[in-house]
Amino acid sequence: MADREGERRMMAVDETAPASRLPRRLGAVAAEPRLRRYGAERFEPAWLSLWAVAIGRETGPPMAWLLAADNLPRAMLMAGELPLHSADHDGVLALEGGRPPTLSQFERWWLWERLARPRRWSLRVQPATLRAVEFPLWLGYSPGRRHARLIVLSGLSGEALGALKPAVLAGLRHRARAEAASGPAARDDERVSG
């Protein structure tokens, strides 16, 4: 536990800093047919908070970014720069993805990426670049025999992202607990009449 806290301090994590958002490139018109192909009857846009760290050489701009959270089994690799925008309150479902992974977790994920891409051995994780980002998603729900099935699509490319399901489910559980703790009176006040 002490090692984990030491790594967090080494990475200078500011968990209270506002997150920036990646742009939503896939709108509802394009997302609906893709989600229906997976059997979704209902769908909604969402944002998932993740942590991004740059991959690159000691000098020069980042070549790629690893996006992850501590409750995900693996990180996502995005090539190039992160096109970030300020996070405005837009009424879309916002989910907590988890705390920032440790430096050793990011380095382990990068090791696996390097093994798949041998020419990337000279690139390293840049701990000082750690930042919070909100990743755009489309969530689809299809009825199942016992439970509804969740489909997670990227709001950037429209690809199915099964690797993000653990973070999305944890975020939905966290929201449900927070709403249950706030009581029915607080939820009724937030409803719009009409």
Side-chain angles (χ1 to χ4, degrees):
M1 185 69 167
D3 291 339
R4 185 177 176 99
E5 291 305 318
E7 283 189 31
R8 287 192 201 288
R9 280 193 299 278
M10 190 171 78
M11 291 177 67
V13 177
D14 182 6
E15 294 185 38
T16 61
S20 298
R21 286 189 171 165
L22 293 168
R24 186 179 298 277
R25 295 188 183 128
L26 185 70
V29 173
E32 183 177 4
R34 292 177 191 211
L35 287 163
R36 295 225 186 273
R37 276 192 297 237
Y38 288 107
E41 293 181 5
R42 296 180 302 116
F43 64 95
E44 66 180 325
W47 296 101
L48 179 66
S49 64
L50 295 174
W51 295 89
V53 68
I55 303 296
R57 293 183 176 87
E58 291 296 324
T59 59
M63 304 289 285
W65 292 81
L66 283 177
L67 291 110
D70 69 346
N71 59 2
L72 286 175
R74 56 181 283 229
M76 290 188 304
L77 181 65
M78 288 187 64
E81 276 295 318
L82 285 180
L84 299 174
H85 304 285
S86 62
D88 300 324
H89 180 68
D90 56 3
V92 173
L93 181 64
L95 302 171
E96 286 294 322
R99 294 178 47 113
T102 62
L103 177 58
S104 60
Q105 285 175 305
F106 274 117
E107 287 176 345
R108 190 170 31 255
W109 287 322
W110 180 235
L111 172 65
W112 287 108
E113 292 292 336
R114 285 187 305 188
L115 290 173
R117 295 169 180 83
R119 282 185 251 153
R120 304 281 188 221
W121 277 96
S122 64
L123 304 179
R124 299 280 180 246
V125 172
Q126 306 296 319
T129 62
L130 182 69
R131 65 180 66 181
V133 297
E134 290 187 351
F135 192 86
L137 298 174
W138 286 95
L139 304 180
Y141 307 97
S142 64
R145 291 184 184 167
R146 294 186 183 163
H147 303 287
R149 198 175 105 203
L150 173 67
I151 298 108
V152 179
L153 286 187
S154 166
L156 294 175
S157 64
E159 296 175 58
L161 298 175
L164 290 183
K165 272 189 184 182
V168 170
L169 290 171
L172 290 170
R173 275 192 302 273
H174 179 72
R175 269 185 83 86
R177 287 182 190 133
E179 287 178 2
S182 68
R187 286 194 305 266
D188 289 341
D189 292 341
E190 294 174 2
R191 292 188 185 143
V192 177
S193 61

